[in-house]
Amino acid sequence: MATRTPVPSPDSPLGRLMTTLPHGGKVEWIGLRPARNRDMVEVETVEATTGAGLTGDRYNGGSGKRGVTLIQAEHLPVIAALAGHDHIAPGTLRRNLVVSGIPLVALKGRRFRVGEVVLEGTDACDPCSRMEDALGPGGFNAMRGHGGLCAHIVEGGTLRVGDVVEAL
């Protein structure tokens, strides 16, 4: 069984550093996976159901750990460069939300608000073998360390492109 890395006390110097963010972020893109091995469908809004997932997404009703997947907008050009592409469309990477302006790694193990929805970062969203097909040979490795964050939905509501993302 894997052991979790202890989170420093929020009162410790490292804990204060880890909870200090310069500013919030913004939802740039929303996509849903309607079924296994199907292309992502871009949407402007989607309903997020507490403990379940996103309406219309294949993971809706699953364990909840992967209720929502997020990826850093700033990482898309890095992944593209590492995979030998000029540009990568957000749907290619199979994450639900593309978020800019806030470091997603800082939200792991924390609650955060996206518009009216409250999420909790559960784990890194590691790439899968499908990235080889999507990005070409080496696509899996191009995404390692840039795969984003899995989150479960603590308080549901509507997610919208343009929503503010802020740590709680």
Side-chain angles (χ1 to χ4, degrees):
M1 179 192 251
T3 59
R4 299 193 100 178
T5 303
V7 176
S9 163
D11 297 326
S12 71
L14 181 58
R16 283 192 297 278
L17 285 173
M18 290 178 69
T19 59
T20 302
L21 298 169
H23 50 76
K26 178 179 160 188
V27 175
E28 301 290 344
W29 185 88
I30 301 173
L32 303 172
R33 297 166 294 238
R36 184 175 173 84
N37 298 324
R38 298 273 308 277
D39 289 340
M40 295 288 286
V41 175
E42 182 177 357
V43 297
E44 293 293 313
T45 64
V46 65
E47 288 301 310
T49 306
T50 303
L54 303 178
T55 301
D57 192 77
R58 84 181 202 97
Y59 287 106
N60 187 19
S63 70
K65 173 191 169 196
R66 196 181 172 105
V68 181
T69 55
L70 303 93
I71 193 164
Q72 191 82 49
E74 292 84 355
H75 289 194
L76 271 60
V78 173
I79 295 166
L82 294 172
H85 299 283
D86 293 331
H87 174 268
I88 294 176
T92 305
L93 303 179
R94 309 193 61 72
R95 303 301 187 259
N96 297 120
L97 304 180
V98 176
V99 174
S100 66
I102 191 167
L104 291 176
V105 69
L107 301 177
K108 182 180 174 187
R110 294 184 62 185
R111 288 188 176 190
F112 56 101
R113 182 175 300 283
V114 180
E116 63 187 45
V117 176
V118 176
L119 302 174
E120 184 170 27
T122 57
D123 210 349
C125 192
D126 295 322
C128 68
S129 62
R130 293 212 48 199
M131 291 302 102
E132 289 294 299
D133 294 332
L135 300 172
F140 173 85
N141 278 317
M143 277 196 69
R144 288 178 67 194
H146 303 286
L149 182 69
C150 293
H152 75 263
I153 301 165
V154 177
E155 293 177 23
T158 304
L159 293 169
R160 296 171 177 84
V161 170
D163 275 350
V164 171
V165 180
E166 59 187 351
L168 297 177

